[in-house]
Amino acid sequence: MGTECFPKPSRWLCNKGLRISLHKAKSTKSSGSASSSPRSNVSSRASKERSREDELKDVFCHFDVDKDGKISALELKAYFASIGEYMSYEDAQGVIDDLDSDGDHMLDFQDFVKLMDSKDGTSEDELKKVFEKFEYEKGSGRITPKGLQSMLNRLGDSKSYDQCVVMIQTYDIDGDGELDFHEFHQMMS
């Protein structure tokens, strides 16, 4: 029952609260409804799993700038710089070395999946800092489609305004067209 996701250098990622989370569909649990067959539940589960892997691959490609199938310390450092966070080369290499399974001092896709699957390290305060990066109007307590679009553009993932509206609708519990911190927290968990 370890409480650390990785040894010390990789905890740097967790401590910064910059764990990447993927866009996922809102759960639509039926309460005793017999309308969905077991077959459709199995295919739905398989579809979600495939979609998660596809999304992980897309995120991996954002890091893998030179498209060699590996993430180097320089690529990891560049990612953090693109979101306004400083990470030294030594810290980046330490993170990679902690997760590197084949000893080549780079992260391949399977190593990256290990990082993404870690559940440890994101406190409420850290999550609030990440949330604030997405606020278009700083201090508003809301992520608007414009704020989401702006941050995604900074991360190199250009989306149209309409695409951002759809992404927000997936987690918009109260239907106001924006995400408050509670909705963001639900999305990240």
Side-chain angles (χ1 to χ4, degrees), residues 65-78:
V65 177
D66 63 6
K67 306 300 181 213
D68 65 352
K70 305 263 183 171
I71 299 172
S72 68
L74 288 175
E75 289 169 321
L76 186 60
K77 183 179 187 268

Side-chain angles (χ1 to χ4, degrees), residues 25-31 36 41 44 48:
K26 196 186 280 185
S27 171
T28 55
K29 296 180 182 173
S30 60
S31 54
S36 65
N41 286 342
S44 173
K48 285 179 186 174

Side-chain angles (χ1 to χ4, degrees), residues 40-74:
S40 68
N41 286 342
V42 169
S43 98
S44 173
R45 236 180 283 126
S47 171
K48 285 179 186 174
E49 199 55 42
R50 259 184 271 126
S51 121
R52 181 179 187 285
E53 184 171 333
D54 289 343
E55 289 179 3
L56 280 172
K57 285 178 183 174
D58 289 344
V59 172
F60 182 82
C61 286
H62 284 293
F63 281 87
D64 183 19
V65 177
D66 63 6
K67 306 300 181 213
D68 65 352
K70 305 263 183 171
I71 299 172
S72 68
L74 288 175

Side-chain angles (χ1 to χ4, degrees), residues 82-127:
S82 76
I83 62 169
E85 293 291 330
Y86 173 76
M87 177 185 237
S88 72
Y89 178 84
E90 292 76 20
D91 284 338
Q93 192 61 59
V95 168
I96 287 173
D97 289 344
D98 288 343
L99 299 168
D100 180 21
S101 61
D102 60 8
D104 67 352
H105 303 291
M106 298 178 95
L107 295 182
D108 61 22
F109 182 68
Q110 293 307 315
D111 296 332
F112 183 74
V113 169
K114 283 193 305 191
L115 172 64
M116 298 306 293
D117 285 344
S118 74
K119 301 290 186 206
D120 188 29
T122 305
S123 74
E124 186 124 344
D125 287 340
E126 293 165 336
L127 202 53

